[in-house]
Amino acid sequence: ARVQVHDFEWIASGLKARGVFAQDVAAVMPHVVTEGTDDRNDAGDLVKPWAVDYSKFVADLIVGWQQHEARLKALEARHG
């Protein structure tokens, strides 16, 4: 719930995308983030961009879904 998804456009390519901002996620799930810098090369490209390893979200997503399903079943059982 503390990770915000954004619709954005990549500066380098202009392609539209949906994802999370590594700088935001680092405060919540630092283990999924590779820190970068704002340093640029002569061509203007980032030397070491921030990155998110989305595969590391999977276990947390599964656990969250399982918790959601358990809560939903408990509420359905109570309110039938």
Side-chain angles (χ1 to χ4, degrees), residues 11-12 16 21 54-55 58 69 77:
I11 294 171
K16 293 182 188 275
F21 295 162
Y54 285 92
S55 69
V58 174
E69 287 294 306

Side-chain angles (χ1 to χ4, degrees), residues 28-43:
V28 180
M29 301 176 73
H31 64 283
V32 308
V33 174
T34 300
E35 285 192 33
T37 67
D38 290 330
D39 298 335
R40 296 183 180 270
N41 61 22
D42 292 337

Side-chain angles (χ1 to χ4, degrees), residues 13-25:
S13 65
L15 293 174
K16 293 182 188 275
R18 176 173 290 157
V20 298
F21 295 162
Q23 294 87 332
D24 295 340
V25 175

Side-chain angles (χ1 to χ4, degrees), residues 2-79:
R2 293 173 40 205
V3 175
Q4 185 176 1
V5 176
H6 302 273
D7 291 317
F8 62 92
E9 188 174 299
W10 289 102
I11 294 171
S13 65
L15 293 174
K16 293 182 188 275
R18 176 173 290 157
V20 298
F21 295 162
Q23 294 87 332
D24 295 340
V25 175
V28 180
M29 301 176 73
H31 64 283
V32 308
V33 174
T34 300
E35 285 192 33
T37 67
D38 290 330
D39 298 335
R40 296 183 180 270
N41 61 22
D42 292 337
D45 299 321
L46 290 169
V47 175
K48 185 181 175 191
W50 285 73
V52 173
D53 184 345
Y54 285 92
S55 69
K56 293 179 180 176
F57 275 100
V58 174
D60 291 320
L61 290 171
I62 293 169
V63 169
W65 186 259
Q66 291 169 336
Q67 291 170 342
H68 168 80
E69 287 294 306
R71 182 172 167 85
L72 181 60
K73 285 182 183 182
L75 289 170
E76 286 174 339
R78 255 192 349 218
H79 300 288

